[in-house]
Amino acid sequence: MANSKQEVESLESLLESNLPNEELKQAWRLLYGSEYPPSELTIPKTATELASVSKIQLKTYQFTAAQEQLRPPRKVRIGLFQNQLPLATDAPVAEQRAALHKLAEKAIEAAAQCGVNVFCFQETWTMPFAFATRERLPWTECAESAEEGPTTVLLRNLAKRHNMVIINPILERDAGDVLWNCAVVISNSGQIIGKSRKNHIPRVGDFNESTYYMESTLGHPVFETQFGKIGINICYGRHHPLNWAMFGLNGAEIVFNPSATVGALSEPLWSIEARNAAIANHYFACAINRVGTEIFPNEFTSGDGKPAHKDFGHFYGSSYVAAPDGSRSPGLSRVTDGLLVAELDLNLCRQVKDKWGFRMTMRLPMYAELYTKASKPDYKPQVVSENERPRED
């Protein structure tokens, strides 16, 4: 079972516990781009009770847009779910998956009671994040078919029952026994719309995942659902601005970033990257991170001279939603399971696009020419030195 001892609950808890009310309001405005207290949703008491019994922190947030004359509001509710492992990493694979499925059913039920239209899990949510161990068994046994595996079958039924689009990030085993880091998009009809795969594979610290799966060949698909156009930028892809940009160019209104990352490596980046993406690409960006410390049976190293160890470090949760106007929701806990329910008005995407004009001023042909040159081995950077400046007579 994940261990989260002696970790700070959240940035929000530190602010609220230590700042006087007036200073808190100003700090909140500067940090989150919105007023304090945050704008929350009214949800049924039954949802709150179910989350409490299931030991799931339930938070809500509301993003608004200006009223338009010709377009009605396009309000959509999304649910981001972060979780620890219910069982120890050395529990049998079938038992781990069953425990996670049981937890997922509770989270989705709570989300449904809150009116969630689109629900997304964290990266490879049906297994421990075992990719640093470099061990094949038992971890490759966690891989399953994106179309016919037990997790997709379960979620197809839940999606149809709750009229909810569900994004299912799993370790995929395809028909040729090739593994992929994948996210299956299941329609609210219960049918599979398609899948996205991880475009960028990390080679940093313990995250040497390239020994398990390859980079995607599927590009940057955007899935048209009843509740808006969505993209999935899996984990490490959030460090690549062009990866985010391509989902925007393909028309995404909401981009989910299911992740698994630890505090010692990436926490200073976490609150910035999805927010930057939302601003630059005029869409909502949803950052989801797993939570807890996963301890493995055998020690492993990263070839960095540090002692062998049995865990990656603390997965710090802190899932949040960022809007195209630069505002963002508070984050979920750094130490507990959590469900963030956010209501978005998708009209805000075009309103911000019209205000800032980034799409109109982005100069795609110029960048395309430069990147084409930069992709070649003989590329010479455009650097001008003092000795090369024209002489002034």
Side-chain angles (χ1 to χ4, degrees):
M1 188 174 296
N3 182 355
S4 300
K5 292 181 180 179
Q6 299 179 343
E7 289 287 344
V8 172
E9 168 68 26
S10 66
L11 172 61
E12 292 81 8
S13 67
L14 290 176
L15 294 172
E16 291 173 330
S17 299
N18 293 284
L19 289 182
N21 192 56
E22 287 304 314
E23 292 183 9
L24 175 60
K25 289 181 178 179
Q26 292 302 318
W28 200 275
R29 179 181 61 82
L30 294 171
L31 288 171
Y32 296 96
S34 60
E35 300 298 318
Y36 184 86
S39 178
E40 298 180 343
L41 300 169
T42 301
I43 57 175
K45 184 179 179 181
T46 54
T48 304
E49 291 173 345
L50 175 58
S52 178
V53 169
S54 305
K55 298 182 179 178
I56 298 172
Q57 178 194 37
L58 177 56
K59 276 188 160 185
T60 68
Y61 192 78
Q62 183 177 34
F63 295 92
T64 60
Q67 184 69 39
E68 299 186 16
Q69 296 184 34
L70 300 180
R71 292 194 306 172
R74 298 179 60 216
K75 293 184 179 180
V76 172
R77 288 195 180 184
I78 61 172
L80 314 184
F81 183 54
Q82 65 176 43
N83 65 274
Q84 307 175 73
L85 295 177
L87 302 179
T89 59
D90 60 358
V93 169
E95 292 182 14
Q96 292 193 51
R97 180 181 289 162
L100 285 161
H101 282 187
K102 185 176 180 180
L103 177 62
E105 290 186 81
K106 294 176 181 177
I108 290 172
E109 175 63 35
Q113 292 184 20
C114 294
V116 165
N117 306 117
V118 185
F119 183 99
C120 187
F121 292 94
Q122 64 203 23
E123 183 185 17
T124 58
W125 72 275
T126 58
M127 62 179 290
F129 205 77
F131 305 117
T133 68
R134 298 180 183 84
E135 299 167 342
R136 292 302 182 265
L137 293 176
W139 314 123
T140 54
E141 293 184 84
C142 298
E144 56 185 280
S145 166
E147 293 76 21
E148 300 173 351
T151 303
T152 297
V153 171
L154 170 70
L155 296 182
R156 287 183 64 184
N157 290 329
L158 294 176
K160 185 174 182 179
R161 180 190 307 169
H162 296 299
N163 190 33
M164 182 189 297
V165 173
I166 298 178
I167 301 167
N168 175 30
I170 57 171
L171 182 63
E172 175 193 4
R173 181 182 296 276
D174 70 14
D177 279 331
V178 176
L179 302 187
W180 306 90
N181 191 319
C182 170
V184 186
V185 181
I186 302 168
S187 169
N188 54 312
S189 68
Q191 299 302 308
I192 296 172
I193 302 177
K195 63 188 175 185
S196 191
R197 289 172 174 160
K198 192 170 183 174
N199 279 324
H200 300 275
I201 310 301
R203 296 164 178 83
V204 55
D206 285 330
F207 292 81
N208 291 297
E209 300 165 39
S210 58
T211 59
Y212 288 88
Y213 45 79
M214 297 294 291
E215 284 87 355
S216 173
T217 58
L218 300 180
H220 301 79
V222 169
F223 304 94
E224 188 162 12
T225 76
Q226 183 179 330
F227 308 111
K229 296 177 181 177
I230 64 175
I232 303 100
N233 179 9
I234 301 175
C235 198
Y236 197 73
R238 73 181 178 279
H239 303 308
H240 295 267
L242 291 177
N243 203 47
W244 289 105
M246 287 307 303
F247 292 108
L249 291 174
N250 284 337
E253 297 168 304
I254 312 169
V255 176
F256 295 87
N257 176 227
S259 297
T261 186
V262 295
L265 178 67
S266 66
E267 200 159 11
L269 312 179
W270 179 252
S271 62
I272 300 169
E273 290 173 310
R275 197 173 184 183
N276 282 352
I279 295 167
N281 299 294
H282 306 306
Y283 53 51
F284 289 90
C286 308
I288 311 151
N289 187 25
R290 69 170 58 201
V291 67
T293 303
E294 300 177 4
I295 301 172
F296 293 92
N298 302 315
E299 291 184 332
F300 52 86
T301 67
S302 295
D304 56 5
K306 295 180 181 179
H309 44 283
K310 291 188 175 183
D311 67 84
F312 279 93
H314 180 68
F315 294 100
Y316 52 83
S318 306
S319 304
Y320 71 97
V321 180
D325 65 357
S327 64
R328 56 154 289 185
S329 74
L332 289 175
S333 169
R334 297 180 69 259
V335 296
T336 62
D337 294 356
L339 172 63
L340 175 60
V341 176
E343 183 174 276
L344 325 176
D345 187 339
L346 299 183
N347 281 353
L348 186 62
C349 299
R350 196 175 80 177
Q351 290 176 10
V352 174
K353 190 180 297 184
D354 289 346
K355 178 179 180 178
W356 284 98
F358 293 159
R359 182 65 58 86
M360 182 171 59
T361 60
M362 68 192 313
R363 304 290 301 278
L364 280 179
M366 180 179 68
Y367 295 131
E369 180 182 1
L370 179 59
Y371 277 110
T372 299
K373 293 178 180 177
S375 67
K376 300 183 184 305
D378 60 350
Y379 173 66
K380 295 181 179 179
Q382 184 182 4
V383 178
V384 180
S385 69
E386 181 180 1
N387 294 333
E388 294 173 336
R389 291 174 58 193
R391 293 182 60 183
E392 296 180 4
D393 296 329

